[in-house]
Amino acid sequence: MLLFTRIAALLWVACWVQLVDARLRTGQLRSKETLVGGISRESTSQCTSEAYVNTTRNPPAMRLKKPTLCDPDVRQYSGYLDMEDKHIFFWYFGSRKRLASSFNATTDKVPLVFWFSGGPGCSSQIANWQENGPCTYVPSSVFDRGMSDEMRKLLPHEVKRNPNAWNNVADIVFIDQPVGTGFSHGRIPNSTEGSADTAWRVMQGIYALLSADAKERNEHDITDVHIFGESYAGRYIPVFAEYLLHMNKHVLASSELRDRGFVELPLQGIGIGNGMFDYSVQTPSYYTIGCNSTYPALFTRPQCAYLKNRLVPGCSELMSKCYSAGAPQSSALGMRADDCVRLRPERWRTSKECAAADSYCSGALNWTTMVSTYDIRPNAHLVPDDYVDYLRTEAFMKAVGVDEDIDYTECSDAVFDRFSATSDGVSRSAMSSLQFVLGKNIQVLLYSGDADFICNWYGTLAVAKALEWQGKAKFAEAKPTNWSWPATTGSNIEAGQFKSVDNLTFLRVYQAGHEVPYYQPQASLYMLSQFLRHNKLS
């Protein structure tokens, strides 16, 4: 998912804080200055991947279990990757495609999807249990919210297989990141850039594990890797993907890195659901979704007038000051400078200009009476989270290899607070990283449930239109195409509209809130299937 689920006001702040900027300082680093993850460089114009510290090898140490929960017939791994002072929890589910009698393991390819939930600080187990994972929790009939945590842990728990899980068409890995999220523990970073190298090393390690498995079983090599996520993943995934592509280049150029076990990750595409990408670009969408959408208005006429004429332009002006404050060298360079991978956060992240913008821009939530900022429909209800009690049981934790004394936290206050302290989202934009990824001919899917308020589809479409890339003009001219999924009855179910030009696709999903696979499970599975097969929708 997802942003924080504390109280309504904090929900507002959380997604207003979901904005990314991959702009990094272009000044020279001091001699042998260490970057995130141990990469260092001499004070020259070239980055040297050979400077990677000698203690770093791939795959990192792993502590693995082979669960049989939720989807017992598929291949599963869960547990930890241990990297210095960081211990990252993941759960891998093999694809159900391998169970078909027609499947040829030697010749048939199975795509690999890495999933990162948002927050910042929310576990990817949210997606596994509420959305697109094989796991579905069956609520206990004796559940009482007034019970103590200990009493809930003792309740009878039942899990079942999700028929619309994304492992119908791909291998999928749910990763708890950054450190401190879900079951992961260790030194917590304070920014997306601070998480990027860890995320890359986790993907390297899991890819190495699964590649070795495929070789041992005489299966087809893993040649199609995709990264998916939602919400604050609009901040994470563009940066992670850009970093991955840079490191692919370094791995290919360095025999030393290859000798240490690092490989080129064959990234084919990324997908982001209801993401927050750019604070300034998406700000006007709060007026549109609140006052002039296909759903009933959320604000009064005077409030809408204030939003349109005062708050939106005022917010844009303050965000311009935030983006430029103290960083005259910053531009659309992203993390690219002198062919280096730069992951050092800018000093202006915590500037008074950005704090002022954050305060001014986040006021409109005080006006709303919506049940959930994740679903603006009058009959909206909160997505159930009763699976959390099951994940805290001793039986479950032993089955998936959770470390002792680690209690599951759906969304971590500690992670959220550390990222907020550096204005990780407010003062940054994902635009340059998305542009870089598009420029490398990676497929990009931006999909949005149209009933979500907090990261709504109007804002995502505005981002797609604002991207500077080779297809910008054609995308602006393209007309929306109706999109549907085929039901088992033989008829097609109308489910949304999309615009697709070259390697960029935008999809609006009808009657879906923030977590699209929860609201529209069949449609979201068909969306993934189309994207993996054809790199676009049809």
Side-chain angles (χ1 to χ4, degrees):
M1 111 168 182
L2 202 44
L3 313 170
F4 259 96
T5 53
R6 299 176 180 175
I7 56 174
L10 185 54
L11 284 173
W12 175 266
V13 173
C15 204
W16 279 102
V17 176
Q18 306 253 342
L19 305 148
V20 199
D21 190 51
R23 305 173 211 173
L24 299 170
R25 297 179 70 83
T26 58
Q28 292 292 316
L29 294 173
R30 293 188 297 275
S31 177
K32 295 185 179 179
E33 185 170 15
T34 300
L35 295 178
V36 172
I39 301 175
S40 64
R41 57 161 291 193
E42 303 293 338
S43 56
T44 66
S45 61
Q46 298 297 317
C47 283
T48 56
S49 55
E50 287 80 3
Y52 218 80
V53 291
N54 292 330
T55 55
T56 302
R57 296 192 62 85
N58 186 61
M62 295 186 189
R63 292 175 287 130
L64 301 176
K65 290 281 189 176
K66 294 183 178 181
T68 56
L69 300 172
C70 308
D71 206 350
D73 295 328
V74 303
R75 193 178 309 162
Q76 295 186 38
Y77 290 109
S78 65
Y80 286 92
L81 293 94
D82 297 320
M83 295 177 289
E84 297 84 44
D85 53 358
K86 299 176 287 290
H87 310 280
I88 312 299
F89 180 81
F90 76 96
W91 194 349
Y92 157 81
F93 293 89
S95 177
R96 294 168 182 168
K97 291 175 65 172
R98 294 190 182 88
L99 305 179
S101 58
S102 59
F103 182 79
N104 187 316
T106 304
T107 59
D108 291 348
K109 296 195 298 184
V110 178
L112 174 61
V113 173
F114 291 104
W115 178 274
F116 295 101
S117 286
C122 289
S123 168
S124 288
Q125 292 305 311
I126 293 169
N128 185 18
W129 291 91
Q130 293 181 339
E131 304 179 64
N132 53 8
C135 299
T136 299
Y137 181 73
V138 181
S140 171
S141 60
V142 295
F143 181 84
D144 182 349
R145 292 199 174 274
M147 289 181 178
S148 68
D149 287 346
E150 290 304 315
M151 286 294 293
R152 289 192 198 127
K153 290 179 181 180
L154 297 175
L155 291 174
H157 296 279
E158 180 184 352
V159 299
K160 64 180 182 180
R161 179 181 180 273
N162 175 10
N164 298 299
W166 282 13
N167 75 324
N168 275 314
V169 295
D171 291 344
I172 188 165
V173 188
F174 298 96
I175 301 171
D176 279 352
Q177 78 78 46
V179 178
T181 297
F183 291 118
S184 296
H185 59 97
R187 181 173 58 85
I188 299 174
N190 62 11
S191 69
T192 296
E193 285 74 29
S195 306
D197 185 71
T198 300
W200 173 73
R201 290 174 64 191
V202 168
M203 288 188 281
Q204 281 273 327
I206 295 172
Y207 182 82
L209 169 69
L210 301 180
S211 294
D213 239 6
K215 184 175 181 179
E216 183 178 333
R217 298 168 188 266
N218 196 31
E219 294 178 347
H220 194 287
D221 292 340
I222 304 171
T223 56
D224 297 336
V225 170
H226 293 75
I227 306 175
F228 270 74
E230 67 189 14
S231 198
Y232 206 86
R235 169 74 169 114
Y236 297 146
I237 289 178
V239 175
F240 292 173
E242 182 177 3
Y243 184 66
L244 184 157
L245 293 171
H246 280 300
M247 292 309 297
N248 275 351
K249 179 180 177 181
H250 287 311
V251 167
L252 290 173
S254 170
S255 59
E256 183 179 357
L257 283 177
R258 296 195 300 276
D259 288 344
R260 292 181 192 167
F262 291 97
V263 297
E264 179 186 14
L265 286 173
L267 182 66
Q268 302 297 314
I270 65 174
I272 301 169
N274 288 89
M276 262 299 188
F277 306 92
D278 185 288
Y279 207 123
S280 182
V281 172
Q282 291 177 267
T283 292
S285 71
Y286 291 93
Y287 162 73
T288 309
I289 191 72
C291 303
N292 194 28
S293 79
T294 55
Y295 292 103
L298 302 172
F299 306 120
T300 65
R301 287 187 178 180
Q303 289 169 340
C304 287
Y306 178 81
L307 269 174
K308 181 179 181 180
N309 301 320
R310 296 284 299 279
L311 191 142
V312 168
C315 180
S316 296
E317 180 181 351
L318 289 172
M319 282 308 304
S320 295
K321 294 179 179 179
C322 165
Y323 284 171
S324 61
Q329 299 298 318
S330 290
S331 63
L333 285 174
M335 63 180 68
R336 301 165 299 288
D338 304 324
D339 293 324
C340 291
V341 181
R342 299 285 182 86
L343 292 174
R344 300 184 75 76
E346 291 140 314
R347 295 174 184 173
W348 55 271
R349 282 153 115 2
T350 54
S351 70
K352 63 180 181 181
E353 289 83 4
C354 294
D358 183 23
S359 176
Y360 182 85
C361 297
S362 62
L365 184 68
N366 296 329
W367 303 337
T368 80
T369 58
M370 68 182 85
V371 174
S372 170
T373 52
Y374 301 135
D375 185 350
I376 65 173
R377 293 172 293 181
N379 61 345
H381 62 275
L382 298 177
V383 178
D385 62 356
D386 39 17
Y387 77 95
V388 170
D389 297 301
Y390 173 58
L391 267 59
R392 292 174 177 166
T393 62
E394 183 178 356
F396 173 81
M397 291 190 289
K398 282 186 175 180
V400 299
V402 174
D403 283 342
E404 291 185 10
D405 302 322
I406 300 299
D407 204 10
Y408 177 70
T409 302
E410 186 176 49
C411 290
S412 166
D413 288 354
V415 174
F416 180 83
D417 291 343
R418 285 185 67 85
F419 274 61
S420 296
T422 61
S423 300
D424 181 73
V426 174
S427 64
R428 305 173 76 75
S429 163
M431 304 293 279
S432 60
S433 287
L434 277 174
Q435 289 159 183
F436 178 84
V437 172
L438 284 166
K440 296 300 181 182
N441 204 34
I442 301 299
Q443 300 298 321
V444 175
L445 170 63
L446 308 179
Y447 63 97
S448 290
D450 72 355
D452 181 34
F453 177 85
I454 204 77
C455 303
N456 61 75
W457 75 273
Y458 297 101
T460 303
L461 181 58
V463 166
K465 289 180 177 179
L467 290 167
E468 296 291 342
W469 64 298
Q470 67 273 13
K472 180 175 182 178
K474 288 196 295 182
F475 190 87
E477 296 170 359
K479 302 297 182 184
T481 300
N482 290 333
W483 180 73
S484 59
W485 60 274
T488 54
T489 58
S491 60
N492 288 340
I493 307 298
E494 187 175 2
Q497 290 187 326
F498 71 94
K499 291 178 68 169
S500 186
V501 170
D502 298 336
N503 55 321
L504 174 63
T505 298
F506 164 80
L507 171 65
R508 170 193 177 188
V509 183
Y510 296 152
Q511 299 296 318
H514 191 70
E515 300 172 68
V516 171
Y518 169 80
Y519 294 96
Q520 297 291 352
Q522 298 98 329
S524 74
L525 176 58
Y526 185 64
M527 170 195 76
L528 178 71
S529 178
Q530 281 197 318
F531 187 69
L532 296 181
R533 284 204 313 267
H534 308 298
N535 296 324
K536 61 181 181 180
L537 305 184
S538 60

